[in-house]
Amino acid sequence: MIRFERVTKRYADGTLAVDDLSLECADGEITVLVGTSGCGKTTSLRMINRLVDPTSGTIRVAGKDVTKSDPAELRRTMGYVIQQGGLFPHRTVIDNIAPVPRLLGASRAKARGRAYEMLTLVGLSEPMGKRYPYQLSGGQQQRVGVARALAADPPVLLMDEPFSAVDPVVRSELQQELQRLQAQLHKTIVFVTHDVDEAVKLGDKIAVMQVGGHLVQFDTPERILARPENAFVESFVGTDRGIRWLSFFAAKGLRLHVPATVETTTSAEDARRIAREAGTGWLLALDADRHPLGWLEVATLNGGASIELAGLRSLGHTFKPDDDSLRAALDATVLSPAGVAVAVDDRGVVVGVADHEEVTRAIRAASGRA
Amino acid sequence: MIAAASTSFGGVISYLTSASNWRGSSGFLERILQHFEYSAETLLIAVAIGLPLGLLSGHTGRGGAVLSMLSNASRALPTLGLLTIFAILIGVGLEAAVIPLIFLAVPSILVNTYVGIRDVDRSLVDAARGMGLRPWQVLFRIEIPVALPLIVLGLRTAALQVVSTATIAAYVGLGGLGRYIIDGQASRNFAELGAGGVLVAAFAIATESMFLVCQWFLVSPGVRARAYTS
Ligand SMILES: Nc1ncnc2c1ncn2[C@@H]1O[C@H](COP(=O)(O)OP(=O)(O)O)[C@@H](O)[C@H]1O
Ligand SMILES: [Mg+2]
């Protein structure tokens, strides 16, 4: 456990970067420090591995005051990942990772073996090990940064905006990768970001900080979204916090309906009859294995031959009731041309649909419970 | 005029290619060796002064302003003037020639080393410290290798300055390739004077080449490629 006990940091120029911070980062959890630029997140993080020393107050890791440890020794027990990767340009990827276990006394061969193991762990191939950092994409560099931080198998991982400099698609991949690693490794992670979405996605606990180094709220992501402590947190988490908050409720509770469906071989005449009987203007088109193909708008059908695949409207996206949240289900209804979200199982087979009314009912039920 | 020039050019060639001019205590081989000696000695001392100071101030970020002020001041000193002063102060001899050359060489080494280390991306140093490297490990494992292109550039510049200026040793009665230039000038022997010039130029080119080769082997491909692409 990492404990901040009334920690204050005032820099030599008088800047109050962190003001009387008390905080507990639980073992095996991800604690996210979030807040606007300049609010003291980096300073707080760097006081943990003594890249900065507090002006007053104490930081304890596993009960021990960090200022009682030798800084270099202390840092070897903590992985440190920074925004721009901080990879050493003159060394190959493997030689960026291997020195970490070497510092802890591993033999050269063992350290290299460990480095290759880490490379695979973060989703990079072994031949990448021989490349130099400039030959990697930004996302790959961040993965190497994470591999390096994990190489000594430290109990603590300090991450300072590690995914901020990569594009949104890669960022989301890296976030998922971190979640996968964490499920496997159970590190005590302190993660700094200015991005609320990232904080909500990754944090077990979130500490919202305000300029001047104040801690405003320290809570679970769910409660931060549902019950912001004050106007600052409320405006910081944004106007769509309600939508974000839905990601904490499983879509499992939705009552799915059986949709009116057609197959590609169905004639236009049959399609009109099916729609009339179901009392709907939209039919869900399926292939032979009951995978969804798209929506057929009955009003646009002309002639009597088979329905035209080209005339199908896109599904938007589907959701999985067992894995996804109400947020995903709501998003699927909004994007569906028929206003109906399609639920599929792991094999992509349609298991039912949910319309606006049903999603709204589920949201009401969920917020009633919160 | 043209005839005279081509005659003297031919004279230089024949002076250079005459086998007897290569041998003996005032032959080319001996003079080249002397020139190398003065240059190498100067450079070693300059490195011993400039490199540690540049590394230390670059690493700690302290004293940069003072160092660059001293460097600029010493760069402004005329080497020949210094030579005269030292010759008068300590008498004609090796020291009188080498000391002004050291003044010439130290600034390039010092300033380039300082700037090279200072310019190492702060996030690298941060990452290195964060992984538990001690300050001297950060310097030797990270800062120096990354700054190496600039450090070697400083050494190369200093070496070229020294090699081309070591001719002044002849003014205080020492050997080296400057002998031919001084003596040639004094006796209006243009073949000798020209040969001296050619040899000094060749020596400089050889020095430059040697440093380029060293740079190629010393600088990591990762840093080399970055230096070219950025
Ligand atoms: N070394 C330093 N010296 C003086 N002031 C600093 C130093 N580092 C950060 N600060 C100041 O402290 C405040 C908090 O900075 P920082 O911890 O980097 O914030 P964040 O990571 O949340 O953006 C800022 O006002 C910043 O300008
Ligand atoms: Mg920061």
Side-chain angles (χ1 to χ4, degrees):
Chain A
M1 189 168 62
I2 302 170
R3 266 175 75 101
F4 286 77
E5 296 169 0
R6 308 208 56 180
V7 173
T8 294
K9 174 65 192 184
R10 189 182 286 278
Y11 283 108
D13 65 359
T15 311
L16 185 61
V18 176
D19 183 17
D20 198 18
L21 175 68
S22 294
L23 192 69
E24 268 185 28
C25 310
D27 282 341
E29 284 194 353
I30 302 183
T31 304
V32 178
L33 307 183
V34 71
T36 45
S37 175
C39 69
K41 307 179 294 291
T42 296
T43 303
S44 303
L45 191 77
R46 288 159 65 90
M47 285 191 288
I48 302 174
N49 65 0
R50 293 200 63 193
L51 286 172
V52 174
D53 277 333
T55 310
S56 66
T58 311
I59 295 173
R60 294 182 193 281
V61 175
K64 191 175 174 203
D65 181 352
V66 290
T67 57
K68 300 283 189 291
S69 305
D70 170 69
E73 300 284 342
L74 177 78
R75 291 169 194 152
R76 290 171 196 175
T77 66
M78 300 177 176
Y80 183 49
V81 188
I82 56 182
Q83 186 177 343
Q84 297 292 351
L87 298 187
F88 306 135
H90 60 297
R91 292 184 175 177
T92 59
V93 164
I94 278 303
D95 288 332
N96 262 276
I97 305 173
V100 180
R102 284 284 283 159
L103 281 173
L104 289 172
S107 72
R108 193 174 286 272
K110 208 164 165 205
R112 287 184 80 78
R114 176 79 184 159
Y116 275 111
E117 220 175 277
M118 289 302 105
L119 210 55
T120 323
L121 184 71
V122 298
L124 294 173
S125 61
E126 288 207 358
M128 290 257 182
K130 298 202 174 60
R131 292 202 192 167
Y132 284 95
Y134 79 91
Q135 296 167 311
L136 302 180
S137 72
Q140 289 167 336
Q141 293 190 16
Q142 288 311 111
R143 284 173 195 264
V144 176
V146 173
R148 179 170 70 183
L150 289 172
D153 198 21
V156 171
L157 214 52
L158 308 177
M159 309 182 84
D160 194 351
E161 310 222 12
F163 309 145
S164 295
V166 295
D167 65 70
V169 176
V170 176
R171 185 181 316 150
S172 152
E173 270 174 32
L174 290 171
Q175 289 165 346
Q176 277 167 28
E177 200 75 9
L178 180 66
Q179 287 177 314
R180 184 182 63 77
L181 285 174
Q182 175 64 352
Q184 196 178 330
L185 303 173
H186 308 293
K187 301 290 181 191
T188 304
I189 301 179
V190 185
F191 190 106
V192 164
T193 180
H194 60 264
D195 175 359
V196 181
D197 275 318
E198 185 167 68
V200 168
K201 185 168 176 186
L202 296 176
D204 293 301
K205 281 286 204 63
I206 297 179
V208 184
M209 294 177 72
Q210 194 172 1
V211 173
H214 301 288
L215 175 65
V216 194
Q217 187 169 3
F218 183 49
D219 226 323
T220 60
E222 189 177 337
R223 289 179 56 89
I224 296 238
L225 291 176
R227 310 244 173 99
E229 181 96 3
N230 61 17
F232 172 77
V233 181
E234 189 167 349
S235 77
F236 183 70
V237 295
T239 43
D240 50 356
R241 70 182 166 90
I243 303 284
R244 291 208 191 93
W245 177 60
L246 288 181
S247 53
F248 292 99
F249 301 102
K252 218 178 230 161
L254 286 167
R255 297 188 209 128
L256 301 177
H257 305 290
V258 179
T261 61
V262 287
E263 294 196 1
T264 51
T265 52
T266 312
S267 70
E269 197 181 321
D270 285 343
R272 275 191 282 265
R273 183 180 49 75
I274 294 168
R276 212 169 29 246
E277 282 168 11
T280 173
W282 293 89
L283 298 173
L284 183 60
L286 304 178
D287 69 7
D289 297 321
R290 295 189 60 77
H291 295 134
L293 295 171
W295 288 101
L296 178 68
E297 188 172 9
V298 180
T300 64
L301 278 175
N302 46 28
S306 82
I307 62 169
E308 282 162 51
L309 283 180
L312 293 181
R313 301 275 301 275
S314 153
L315 284 173
H317 62 79
T318 58
F319 73 99
K320 293 181 184 167
D322 287 340
D323 302 336
D324 285 333
S325 67
L326 277 183
R327 181 181 179 174
L330 176 64
D331 198 52
T333 20
V334 172
L335 292 177
S336 161
V340 174
V342 178
V344 296
D345 64 14
D346 281 339
R347 291 165 301 151
V349 173
V350 173
V351 295
V353 294
D355 58 13
H356 275 301
E357 285 81 56
E358 175 52 22
V359 174
T360 309
R361 188 202 60 75
I363 291 171
R364 289 234 171 84
S367 46
R369 271 191 293 124
Chain B
M1 207 47 210
I2 291 168
S6 69
T7 314
S8 60
F9 187 68
V12 170
I13 303 272
S14 62
Y15 193 92
L16 275 173
T17 47
S18 148
S20 60
N21 282 340
W22 285 84
R23 290 188 297 264
S25 64
S26 65
F28 295 146
L29 285 179
E30 181 64 24
R31 294 286 187 232
I32 288 173
L33 210 66
Q34 289 169 343
H35 204 87
F36 177 80
E37 230 175 83
Y38 305 152
S39 305
E41 191 170 322
T42 306
L43 205 60
L44 279 179
I45 297 172
V47 166
I49 297 169
L51 196 62
L53 273 180
L55 291 176
L56 198 72
S57 63
H59 177 71
T60 58
R62 276 165 226 251
V66 175
L67 286 182
S68 73
M69 211 178 66
L70 285 178
S71 292
N72 283 334
S74 77
R75 254 197 262 251
L77 294 174
T79 309
L80 212 52
L82 277 183
L83 178 76
T84 317
I85 293 172
F86 280 106
I88 294 167
L89 284 180
I90 56 178
V92 165
L94 189 58
E95 292 84 358
V98 166
I99 294 174
L101 289 177
I102 293 172
F103 272 90
L104 182 71
V106 168
S108 307
I109 298 172
L110 183 58
V111 172
N112 278 290
T113 304
Y114 171 76
V115 171
I117 299 284
R118 258 305 68 190
D119 279 359
V120 171
D121 192 342
R122 287 299 95 189
S123 72
L124 291 185
V125 175
D126 216 45
R129 293 175 65 211
M131 74 199 250
L133 293 182
R134 299 191 183 278
W136 58 270
Q137 290 174 318
V138 174
L139 178 64
F140 282 95
R141 295 191 194 182
I142 311 300
E143 291 177 316
I144 293 179
V146 174
L148 209 53
L150 256 183
I151 297 177
V152 177
L153 177 70
L155 296 177
R156 199 174 93 200
T157 311
L160 277 180
Q161 286 170 317
V162 167
V163 162
S164 42
T165 319
T167 44
I168 60 162
Y171 280 105
V172 286
L174 293 170
L177 293 170
R179 258 316 6 121
Y180 302 113
I181 296 176
I182 304 266
D183 295 351
Q185 216 161 20
S187 59
R188 304 188 65 77
N189 179 347
F190 293 114
E192 187 181 356
L193 176 66
V198 168
L199 286 174
V200 171
F203 199 101
I205 291 170
T207 307
E208 173 94 352
S209 311
M210 191 196 78
F211 273 93
L212 287 177
V213 170
C214 282
Q215 178 154 8
W216 182 261
F217 283 106
L218 287 177
V219 175
S220 151
V223 173
R224 202 187 302 145
R226 249 178 31 138
Y228 288 150
T229 53
S230 64

